[in-house]
């Protein structure tokens, strides 16, 4: 029986725009956006797309017209009534009315600001300028668009059954990981894979497969729209952009040194419980923890997002112990470069010594490695970062020098201010 | 967009009856049926289901009510107008009007005869009695029903995504075989997998995957309904039931010895070209070929369906040579126990020495081996055979004693009459 209306609808490309909603984004972007909206509504920022995998020449793979069409579509999106209702009415991390009426009113009227796009050396230069709260919401959709257009360029040449088998293989791969993760009885695992996903539909499939395969051990997704559609928890806390912009705004070295703590002081005022998670690596985890005020030791946990994850967790555990806290009551969230083997290994290593949870990203929602010729669908390392704030460049050091960014002389100054010495370089795959 | 009508329709079990048409059967059954309808319309036969894999206790796995429901549904089927038009109007093996008006008229009015079902020792005894042309059409649907009900019993306990991954794995498995077979430039391969298929939908998927993956090298399917729906060739010639029933009807040892040739004499009158394929193994290939009349050497080819396939092909080549024929113009069809590796091997071994083609059955349409716990979906060896004709038992010897059937004393008599000596036993998997 053919549903003619569906068939006709399917002829129109809008059946699968890459980003289909303003809340097809990570939950922590909205949490941070509200914080920024309250504390820095007028700060002018520039966000820029950075492809760390130079060998992938995006401007040769992705058609500029298609890219503009997708970005223009995102600018046409508005928060829908149902989405607004969900944000206003839902309980997030056990709290009702997480989003204030003032923020919601602003969000309901938001259109994402214009973008600037040009080609250079086989890459796209894609930048966004404007006030911080509106520009920051471009990050996730911009990444998702580029990732998926690069995939669609490869998929366009494949036959119907070849395509079906491709997805069959990807499903099989994911399910083998689910089977592996089932063996961990007290696993806590969430989907953090929106930004570098293969596609929306695939992320949605992955989330549903995890729901069935892992049951309660799958704690939710960072993707608000999928959380809404699948009626599961939206997960996330805060990211590097907060300390990066706060630091760029600092007028003196002393203010710079203090800025990462200012971020968390603002956060402390706004949130409690499971949302009080320290992300300590922006300017080096070691120095950050040594210089941290005592009230930070009372926070719920630490997210380990760069460097060797086991070393990061040991550092956190030692720090809590040194501050008189019981690490067994503290939460370590691993969120960098995870795959099933690594999750099993880290869980085994730390469970019992602290509470452990995982934010699993790219290798959950985009493991198409080895599935097509020339590995043309393998995920790669694409980011979209704040590069300046009120005209001053931003800097990130991270616990892995390969993830560092910013102008050379500023990087040097930050290293000095934050007392960052030699670091181990770790290749960044995704 | 929900198509409400489809949704409601889907609630009814008839959305997926196991057998959905009287031509959801092998093409050679219809060719043979027409021959039987002309030459032996009143012969009374009994067909019986035989599960060669005793370890699979079908009566414990398959619900009797469900089995009856499916068999009753098959009895409710009639040839549809479109199916009749396809049989009457199509070109089969280059010939128009393959089916005579008299046969078509009979077929259009056919209802399959009643069945007899009881449980014994954990197995089902399923038998069909009546005139040969009508009873013989039960064979394929009866096998397909039992095979699929056994599968459905396993699938019924699986989750939605677990199910999707199961099919993803099966698709991946098949596609790896397609990739392997793509490397043979002059392959001729058809689907012979109706009788032991996993399901109709799965067979249909496999056929379409082969169409896309192998292109012209995939020559068609034995399944008439799928051939009709996918607009490809219906493939097949004749089977053991013809010599088995002809032999059972023979009054003397001399008539018995002659009976396999009588079958082909009747066939010779009716068909030419690619339909003139000898199936020589019913009572031993060696004796059959030695005693064959010269006109049989002029036939197009030989189907090798039991014993070691390479040995069978060598026997055929030697026989053609001894009869002054050029084996390079003759066709060898391999159709027993094939999988991709074996196809590659046999093709390599015989191409250039004769024409080679393959009828690939169970491991094309039912390779669910190793995909679920306890291998509960692995195919097994189920057949449905003529066991008597006009009250006399039938016998099959085959080139593999493990495929032999019939009462012990009759088997002994046949062995003597056909001069069958020692044979190599080969395990029958499917």
């Amino acid at each position: 029986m053919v549903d003619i209306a569906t068939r006709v609808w399917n002829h129109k490309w809008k059946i699968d725009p890459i980003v289909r909603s303003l809340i097809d984004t990570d939950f922590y972007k909205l949490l941070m956006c509200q914080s920024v909206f309250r504390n820095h509504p007028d700060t002018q920022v520039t966000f820029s797309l950075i492809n760390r995998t130079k060998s992938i020449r995006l401007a040769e793979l992705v058609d500029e017209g298609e890219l503009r069409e997708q970005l223009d579509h995102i600018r046409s999106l508005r928060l829908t009534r149902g989405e607004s209702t969900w944000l206003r009415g839902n309980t997030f991390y056990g709290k009702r009315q997480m989003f204030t009426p003032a923020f919601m009113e602003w969000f309901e009227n938001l259109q994402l600001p214009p973008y600037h796009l040009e080609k250079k050396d086989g890459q796209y230069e894609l930048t966004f300028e404007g006030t911080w709260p509106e520009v920051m919401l471009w990050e996730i959709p911009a990444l998702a668009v580029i990732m998926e257009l690069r995939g669609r360029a490869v998929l366009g040449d494949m036959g119907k059954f070849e395509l079906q088998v491709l997805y069959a293989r990807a499903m099989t791969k994911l399910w083998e990981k689910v089977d592996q993760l089932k063996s961990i009885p007290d696993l806590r695992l969430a989907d953090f894979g929106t930004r570098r996903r293969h596609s929306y539909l695939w992320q949605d499939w992955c989330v549903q497969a995890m729901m069935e395969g892992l049951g309660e051990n799958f704690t939710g997704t960072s993707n608000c729209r999928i959380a809404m559609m699948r009626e599961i928890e939206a997960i996330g806390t805060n990211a590097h952009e907060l300390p990066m912009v706060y630091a760029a705004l600092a007028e003196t070295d002393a203010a710079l040194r203090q800025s990462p703590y200012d971020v968390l002081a603002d956060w402390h005022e706004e949130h409690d419980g499971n949302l009080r998670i320290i992300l300590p690596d922006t300017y080096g985890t070691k120095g950050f923890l040594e210089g941290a005020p005592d009230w930070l030791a009372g926070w719920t946990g630490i997210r380990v997002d760069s460097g060797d994850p086991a070393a990061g967790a040991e550092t956190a555990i030692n720090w809590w112990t040194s501050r008189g806290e019981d690490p067994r009551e503290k939460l370590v969230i691993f969120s960098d470069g995870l795959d099933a083997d690594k999750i099993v290994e880290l869980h085994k290593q730390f469970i019992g010594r602290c509470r452990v949870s995982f934010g699993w990203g790219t290798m959950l929602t985009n493991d198409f490695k080895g599935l097509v010729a020339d590995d043309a669908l393998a995920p790669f390392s694409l980011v979209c970062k704040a590069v300046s704030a009120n005209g001053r460049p931003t800097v990130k050091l991270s616990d892995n020098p390969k993830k560092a960014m910013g102008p050379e002389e500023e990087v040097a100054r930050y290293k000095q201010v934050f007392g960052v010495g030699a670091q181990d370089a770790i290749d960044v795959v995704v």
Side-chain angles (χ1 to χ4, degrees), chain A:
Chain A
M1 222 181 273
V2 174
D3 177 0
I4 300 171
T6 301
R7 203 62 91 83
V8 171
W9 173 253
N10 286 357
H11 287 178
K12 305 195 286 184
W13 79 273
K14 291 210 172 168
I15 185 185
D16 279 320
I18 292 176
V19 174
R20 54 196 74 198
S21 149
L22 281 184
I23 66 164
D24 179 10
T25 193
D26 280 343
F27 180 61
Y28 77 170
K29 290 302 289 196
L30 301 187
L31 289 178
M32 289 190 291
C33 188
Q34 171 164 268
S35 179
V36 168
F37 173 78
R38 197 176 60 162
N39 299 304
H40 298 273
D42 301 319
T43 299
Q44 293 290 308
V45 297
T46 303
F47 270 60
S48 181
L49 189 88
I50 299 153
N51 175 12
R52 294 178 186 150
T53 312
K54 298 293 174 212
S55 59
I56 293 182
R57 297 176 69 79
L58 286 171
E60 291 165 12
L61 295 169
V62 171
D63 178 74
E64 184 175 335
E66 280 181 47
L67 175 52
R68 286 185 184 276
E69 193 174 33
Q70 293 291 342
L71 295 171
D72 291 342
H73 173 71
I74 292 170
R75 292 202 69 223
S76 80
L77 294 171
R78 298 294 181 278
L79 197 65
T80 70
R81 182 168 172 176
E83 290 163 352
S84 173
T85 302
W86 181 78
L87 288 169
R88 286 174 181 272
N90 204 356
T91 306
F92 298 102
Y93 285 93
K95 183 176 169 185
R96 292 214 174 271
Q97 286 198 292
M98 176 74 82
F99 297 102
T100 65
F103 174 74
M104 286 307 303
E105 203 171 308
W106 170 84
F107 195 16
E108 282 159 0
N109 289 295
L110 178 72
Q111 169 179 31
L112 289 190
Y115 58 90
H116 180 78
L117 177 69
E118 51 185 305
K119 290 185 184 187
K120 199 172 169 186
D121 297 333
Q123 299 293 342
Y124 281 114
E125 288 199 339
L126 177 58
T127 52
F128 311 93
E129 285 183 39
T131 64
W132 191 6
E134 57 183 21
V135 167
M136 68 189 290
L137 293 182
W138 261 118
E139 177 185 355
I140 307 297
L143 292 171
V145 161
I146 299 268
M147 267 289 164
E148 186 163 345
L149 279 182
R150 179 264 204 160
R152 287 188 184 187
V154 177
L155 301 174
D157 296 329
M158 294 173 70
K160 186 173 163 193
F161 284 79
E162 202 182 358
L163 270 177
Q164 207 177 355
V165 171
L166 171 69
Y167 286 101
R169 286 180 168 154
M171 286 176 184
T172 300
K173 246 181 137 173
L174 180 63
W175 199 256
E176 274 157 18
K177 298 182 190 185
V178 170
D179 274 340
Q180 196 182 349
L181 296 172
K182 271 182 189 165
S183 65
I184 310 178
D186 44 8
L187 180 68
R188 308 296 289 162
L189 177 70
D191 158 37
F192 277 18
T194 302
R195 68 189 58 209
R196 290 192 207 103
R197 70 189 180 198
H198 171 77
S199 73
Y200 175 83
L201 292 178
W202 177 247
Q203 182 183 15
D204 191 35
W205 190 91
C206 293
V207 165
Q208 292 176 80
M210 302 281 280
M211 288 168 67
E212 180 181 302
L214 299 183
E216 295 294 308
N217 291 0
F218 179 65
T219 55
T221 173
S222 64
N223 187 294
C224 295
R225 187 176 152 92
I226 294 174
M228 179 174 104
M229 302 303 281
R230 302 299 162 203
E231 301 189 1
I232 56 177
E233 295 299 321
I235 303 281
T237 62
N238 58 68
H240 300 107
E241 74 174 279
L242 294 178
M244 285 170 71
V245 173
Y246 274 56
L249 298 175
E251 299 283 344
T252 63
D253 283 359
L256 175 58
R257 197 174 295 115
Q258 185 56 31
S259 63
Y261 308 116
D262 292 344
V263 168
L264 299 183
D266 284 349
W267 198 260
H268 194 84
E269 231 175 272
E270 214 161 333
H271 301 295
D272 52 22
N274 275 319
L275 284 172
R276 285 189 180 159
I277 299 295
I278 304 166
L279 178 65
D281 66 329
T282 315
Y283 303 117
T285 295
K286 197 167 157 286
F288 176 89
L289 292 178
E290 281 169 9
D294 276 337
W295 55 265
L296 260 183
W299 273 33
T300 304
I302 284 183
R303 181 155 74 93
V304 177
D305 197 46
S306 65
D308 172 55
E314 294 290 356
T315 304
I317 288 170
N318 291 338
W319 178 67
W320 281 314
T321 307
S322 74
R323 298 291 177 112
E325 300 283 337
D326 182 354
R328 287 171 302 178
E329 286 169 14
K330 297 294 185 179
L331 179 64
V332 171
I333 301 176
F334 295 102
S335 62
D336 182 40
L338 294 175
D339 208 347
D341 288 340
K342 196 73 188 168
I343 292 169
V344 170
E345 177 193 322
L346 289 168
H347 187 274
K348 196 173 165 191
Q349 194 172 350
F350 289 100
I351 197 69
R353 301 179 57 204
C354 57
R355 290 161 54 212
V356 176
S357 94
F358 299 91
W360 190 13
T362 312
M363 296 309 280
L364 166 59
T365 60
N366 199 358
D367 187 2
F368 282 67
K369 263 171 63 180
L371 297 187
V372 297
D374 303 326
D375 223 355
L377 287 177
F380 60 102
S381 188
L382 190 70
V383 294
C384 180
K385 292 284 185 187
V387 291
S388 75
N390 287 350
R392 298 148 74 118
T394 65
V395 168
K396 183 183 175 188
L397 298 180
S398 162
D399 286 331
N400 178 3
K402 297 211 174 179
K403 282 187 163 184
M405 47 173 288
E408 210 174 315
E409 64 283 8
E410 286 297 296
V411 168
R413 179 168 81 96
Y414 275 59
K415 278 193 166 178
Q416 201 200 350
V417 169
F418 289 104
V420 171
Q423 292 176 307
D424 290 336
I426 298 173
D427 276 341
V428 178
V429 179
V430 290

